[in-house]
Amino acid sequence: METVLTFDPIEAAGYVKRGGIVAFPTETVYGLGANVFDATAVAKIFEAKMRPADNPLIAHVCDTSQIERLVKNITGSASKLIEAFFPGPLTVVLERSGEVPDVATAGLDTIGVRMPRFEIAHRFLEACGVPVVAPSANLSGKPSPTTWQAVFEDLGGRIDCILQGDPTEIGLESTVVDCTSDHPVLLRLGSVSLSDLREVVPDIREVGSDDPATVRSPGLRHRHYSPRAHVVLISDDKGLPTTENSAFIGLHRPSAGVRLAKICSSVGEYASSVFEFFRECDRRGIETIYCELVSGEGIGAALNDRLRRAAED
Ligand code: AMP
Ligand code: MG
């Protein structure tokens, strides 16, 4: 299949309206979208990404009124979080309505809903006229794409269209909160931090790895965010071995020599560049990537989470 590249959100939306799948930029990462109500189109997303069928998708809306058709009811905690953080990098999970096809939520009776704040995403979603389900626009298991070029590298020839935009701002996937019960559960860390959430909903709790709530978020069990290279986490550079074909990303220049180093001036810059750095290392055939862990405040907690997952084998 030929993948059309365009800067025009209206042209890109045309493919969604005709039952196609389209990659589009958001402030978190690039998404691969289809009309949520078109089960055949949604199935194409799983095929193109080679995504396991038990990994649910997030529905993207341009307006809060679009949420009503997707869910049974908006709980009190969800409406507070929506009010505080939409549009932005937060996904709320609610009980899904009968109109949402099984394939979109991997058979779960819940659906994640998010409203991106990138202007180009907003114009695209508005032109689609329906909520658009979208996971990250990468091949399953690879680092999420933060540029349209990274999308093309993984999915060129496998999807109908790529809406070309700027590199994403945040560079990590959205924070996900299960709002189906009275006591919301933080399922995935993102740039909206636990303390940001607690300012709005004080009794929110964190999910433990053996918590039954992880059953409700199958994506957390899958291998994720991994480059081909071996990822090694370091807290300071004292233990940094010098292997010939290695790279480093972090906040402080390592004392040992590496082939490729990225020294970031802030945790935010580190978060926004880490996935692209992983991809660049793979393009160059780097064997080991040393990643400096950061202090766990704000987006640092989400960054450490992604680094730990990338280091799992
Ligand atoms: P991705 O957009 O590729 O980051 O994938 C979406 C992730 O959001 C999934 O892997 C899940 O971890 C989470 N998610 C999406 N929908 C739900 C849901 N209905 N319940 C719980 N977690 C969800
Ligand atoms: Mg993903």
Side-chain angles (χ1 to χ4, degrees):
M1 151 194 317
E2 187 211 352
T3 299
V4 172
L5 301 178
T6 178
F7 293 99
D8 179 6
I10 315 263
E11 184 187 354
Y15 290 93
V16 169
K17 289 180 159 174
R18 295 189 293 276
I21 54 176
V22 175
F24 63 101
T26 81
E27 70 276 18
T28 57
V29 299
Y30 273 70
L32 176 62
N35 173 356
V36 61
F37 302 118
D38 181 344
T40 312
V42 176
K44 291 182 197 166
I45 293 178
F46 285 85
E47 200 184 312
K49 274 182 61 89
M50 300 194 271
R51 182 173 176 96
D54 69 348
N55 197 350
L57 310 181
I58 292 169
H60 294 71
V61 299
C62 63
D63 199 288
T64 44
S65 66
Q66 285 187 321
I67 301 173
E68 281 153 36
R69 232 181 122 185
L70 295 171
V71 304
K72 282 206 177 120
N73 71 311
I74 301 178
T75 56
S77 59
S79 53
K80 284 186 201 152
L81 293 172
I82 289 169
E83 170 77 30
F85 297 108
F86 279 24
L90 177 74
T91 297
V92 296
V93 171
L94 290 164
E95 274 184 57
R96 73 162 152 136
S97 76
E99 275 195 83
V100 175
D102 280 350
V103 60
T105 67
L108 296 177
D109 52 13
T110 58
I111 185 161
V113 182
R114 175 167 115 75
M115 188 191 296
R117 70 161 182 241
F118 245 23
E119 174 64 23
I120 188 170
H122 181 84
R123 282 194 283 137
F124 166 72
L125 292 169
E126 204 171 44
C128 289
V130 286
V132 168
V133 268
S136 51
N138 52 318
L139 282 173
S140 199
K142 293 246 260 157
S144 295
T146 57
T147 64
W148 67 261
Q149 291 90 340
V151 176
F152 189 80
E153 188 173 70
D154 275 15
L155 299 177
R158 303 177 66 85
I159 64 178
D160 295 288
C161 175
I162 298 174
L163 175 56
Q164 298 164 285
D166 292 333
T168 60
E169 254 166 40
I170 297 167
L172 303 180
E173 305 80 354
S174 60
T175 302
V176 179
V177 179
D178 181 340
C179 293
T180 52
S181 80
D182 290 342
H183 301 286
V185 184
L186 172 61
L187 296 176
R188 180 172 74 183
L189 287 161
S191 75
V192 176
S193 69
L194 186 58
S195 62
D196 297 336
L197 294 165
R198 285 205 169 129
E199 275 177 32
V200 180
V201 181
D203 64 346
I204 195 159
R205 67 185 177 85
E206 261 183 296
V207 71
S209 57
D210 52 351
D211 196 302
T214 54
V215 175
R216 297 201 295 272
S217 197
L220 302 179
R221 298 194 304 266
H222 290 289
R223 184 177 155 84
H224 247 88
Y225 321 117
S226 313
R228 233 184 353 256
H230 184 50
V231 172
V232 176
L233 307 181
I234 52 175
S235 321
D236 56 53
D237 81 354
K238 296 213 176 63
L240 187 74
T242 3
T243 47
E244 280 210 341
N245 200 8
S246 61
F248 169 87
I249 183 167
L251 300 173
H252 306 94
R253 184 166 294 282
S255 50
V258 287
R259 233 182 94 200
L260 186 66
K262 176 149 182 79
I263 316 302
C264 306
S265 59
S266 66
V267 175
E269 190 200 334
Y270 188 173
S272 68
S273 47
V274 67
F275 286 148
E276 183 52 31
F277 186 77
F278 284 174
R279 284 177 177 269
E280 185 56 26
C281 289
D282 281 350
R283 286 179 206 120
R284 296 187 189 206
I286 299 275
E287 277 160 26
T288 307
I289 309 173
Y290 295 98
C291 299
E292 185 183 346
L293 288 166
V294 298
S295 105
E297 285 134 45
I299 197 173
L303 175 59
N304 286 340
D305 168 73
R306 301 307 191 274
L307 295 175
R308 291 201 174 96
R309 287 169 194 275
E312 278 168 19
D313 274 322

